[in-house]
Amino acid sequence: YENMFDFLFDSNKFKILGEDELKKYCVNLEKILSFEDHYDINGLDLFSELKLLKEILTNEINIPLKIFNYIKRSCSFPNTYITYRILLTLHVTVTTAKRSFSKLKMIKSYLRSTN
């Protein structure tokens, strides 16, 4: 997850990327977000949109949710809109929650066995 979307987590990250590196990230993301002959985004179009977007964004608009809302209001940047929508809706597993449920199960088992 981080390897795919790392350059989009903070606008300052993609602002300082060189054109070649940004293009590489965008084309790679296009491959990742594809299935057979179906593509969610066009990597080269995403690259063009991000180049323009990094000139437009202010320092206050620097986190993914703020960038997404800005793009949504502007009704522009279709590939960037899709990319941020995917970024913000992907489920990220948190292992601490799994561990706490495992611990709860152990405690319940212990309490049942002691009665």
Side-chain angles (χ1 to χ4, degrees):
Y1 180 78
E2 189 173 336
N3 292 337
M4 292 183 291
F5 294 104
D6 184 43
F7 71 107
L8 297 173
F9 285 129
D10 187 353
S11 67
N12 294 325
K13 286 184 182 180
F14 75 78
K15 283 182 178 181
I16 61 171
L17 286 175
E19 284 194 17
D20 292 337
E21 196 173 7
L22 181 61
K23 189 175 191 178
K24 184 181 81 170
Y25 277 117
C26 293
V27 170
N28 186 43
L29 195 58
E30 174 187 10
K31 290 176 189 171
I32 292 168
L33 298 177
S34 66
F35 178 74
E36 293 176 354
D37 292 337
H38 304 286
Y39 297 92
D40 290 327
I41 62 165
N42 181 307
L44 297 177
D45 288 346
L46 177 63
F47 168 66
S48 299
E49 291 173 14
L50 287 176
K51 274 181 28 180
L52 181 60
L53 193 61
K54 71 183 186 177
E55 301 297 324
I56 296 172
L57 291 179
T58 63
N59 290 335
E60 293 82 34
I61 305 172
N62 58 356
I63 59 172
L65 188 57
K66 288 182 180 180
I67 295 170
F68 176 75
N69 287 329
Y70 175 81
I71 293 167
K72 189 176 177 181
R73 282 191 311 272
S74 71
C75 297
S76 301
F77 311 106
N79 288 282
T80 308
Y81 176 76
I82 292 168
T83 303
Y84 273 99
R85 200 171 71 201
I86 293 169
L87 166 72
L88 293 168
T89 56
L90 277 178
H91 177 69
V92 179
T93 303
V94 179
T95 58
T96 56
K98 288 184 180 181
R99 273 190 251 128
S100 66
F101 284 122
S102 298
K103 195 68 160 177
L104 180 63
K105 187 176 178 182
M106 287 173 43
I107 293 169
K108 283 182 174 181
S109 297
Y110 172 77
L111 290 174
R112 285 186 190 122
S113 67
T114 56
N115 288 337

